Amino acid sequence: MIVTTTPNIEGHKILEYRGIIHGETILGANFVRDFMASFTDFFGGRSAAYEEELSKARMIAISELKERAQALGCNAVVGVDIDYEVLGQNNGMLMVTASGTAVVID
């Protein structure tokens, strides 16, 4: 399965467009990660715990996108856009959505 942010795939012809599809995931950041990240925020630097959660959420959303494309009989997704949102009363949830167009390529 080819997944790309571009509107076409070099070397391939899009034979059929089968619709816009989405993959979503929402993950909660737990107390220990929040506590450890607060030290990183205070002293500066990168928060490995949050980066790991962000990467995990992105991979889940893209995986769902691929599953939905396959369910439509497609072998590629073009024009992929990934969005990130922080949710919850205390911004304790991370939502990642991936959307694109499911297509059949040669």
Side-chain angles (χ1 to χ4, degrees):
M1 169 85 48
I2 297 174
V3 177
T4 181
T5 59
T6 60
N8 51 40
I9 301 168
E10 190 172 332
H12 294 277
K13 181 178 179 182
I14 295 176
L15 304 175
E16 188 176 348
Y17 292 86
R18 297 216 176 145
I20 297 170
I21 55 174
H22 302 278
E24 307 87 22
T25 186
I26 298 176
L27 297 177
N30 68 28
F31 174 74
V32 174
R33 285 197 182 118
D34 287 343
F35 181 71
M36 296 305 288
S38 68
F39 284 110
T40 302
D41 291 343
F42 182 75
F43 294 111
R46 296 168 57 173
S47 173
Y50 278 120
E51 288 177 0
E52 183 179 318
E53 283 299 303
L54 182 61
S55 179
K56 179 180 171 184
R58 184 176 50 249
M59 296 311 284
I60 291 170
I62 292 171
S63 178
E64 284 189 9
L65 195 70
K66 290 178 181 179
E67 288 174 17
R68 290 189 174 128
Q70 288 174 334
L72 292 173
C74 296
N75 58 355
V77 182
V78 296
V80 174
D81 179 53
I82 300 173
D83 292 312
Y84 305 90
E85 288 289 329
V86 179
L87 305 171
Q89 193 171 33
N90 296 319
N91 295 329
M93 305 290 282
L94 173 66
M95 179 175 71
V96 178
T97 57
S99 59
T101 303
V103 298
V104 177
I105 59 173
D106 62 0

